[in-house]
Amino acid sequence: MIKSKEKAIALAHAALEKKAHDTEVIEIKALSDIADYFLVCSADSDRGVKTIVDNIEQKLKEIGERAIGVEGYTEGRWVLIDAVDVVVHVFYEPVRRFYDIEGLWIDAPRIKLPFEEQFPNQSKSLEKDYG
């Protein structure tokens, strides 16, 4: 079985392959019992959200895992994928700004993705002011 950090990174890569942006892996294991990591990313449309989700689910199958739940896919505004130790949030950009998941977990460490340079369109367009 793959370790939770490696799973989170693999799923982040799958999201970026389908043009996700503002992708963050947040380590929450010391702060919550619900999961070890959150993966949060955005798309520019509901169709983009669904494309990212489909690729993440495919990656889960490839690594011998599966989601135990997927919520919000039909609407494509905010899809939550429960992969047990990794919870994925794929947002349509305006919805992400409204809910500000990262702001709720500001004290949680962020994991540097080893392949960020491969995805130049992975902008940090979210303007965050948590101070």
Side-chain angles (χ1 to χ4, degrees):
M1 190 154 101
I2 189 170
K3 292 183 180 180
S4 57
K5 183 176 182 179
E6 284 77 23
K7 183 196 294 187
I9 291 170
L11 299 182
H13 191 270
L16 287 166
E17 286 177 330
K18 295 301 177 181
K19 300 190 184 343
H21 54 88
D22 300 310
T23 303
E24 289 195 60
V25 175
I26 305 169
E27 184 179 318
I28 63 167
K29 62 185 169 186
L31 303 171
S32 175
D33 293 333
I34 60 173
D36 291 342
Y37 295 91
F38 276 168
L39 166 59
V40 184
C41 63
S42 300
D44 294 327
S45 66
D46 58 347
R47 187 177 197 175
V49 167
K50 291 177 181 182
T51 299
I52 293 165
V53 170
D54 291 344
N55 206 48
I56 288 171
E57 288 186 298
Q58 180 60 40
K59 178 56 75 176
L60 282 167
K61 287 178 189 171
E62 288 172 13
I63 63 175
E65 302 263 339
R66 68 179 193 83
I68 61 169
V70 178
E71 300 291 331
Y73 185 87
T74 303
E75 298 82 15
R77 313 291 276 165
W78 175 4
V79 179
L80 184 137
I81 304 168
D82 185 346
V84 184
D85 50 354
V86 178
V87 175
V88 181
H89 300 269
V90 184
F91 285 97
Y92 172 54
E93 183 61 41
V95 176
R96 181 177 180 176
R97 289 177 189 268
F98 180 80
Y99 286 103
D100 188 26
I101 293 292
E102 297 92 332
L104 297 174
W105 297 93
I106 192 64
D107 293 333
R110 276 36 179 186
I111 304 302
K112 174 135 175 71
L113 299 175
F115 44 76
E116 283 180 309
E117 318 70 55
Q118 297 174 9
F119 298 94
N121 294 329
Q122 158 59 17
S123 69
K124 293 292 182 189
S125 64
L126 290 178
E127 304 229 352
K128 299 175 189 154
D129 182 17
Y130 301 122

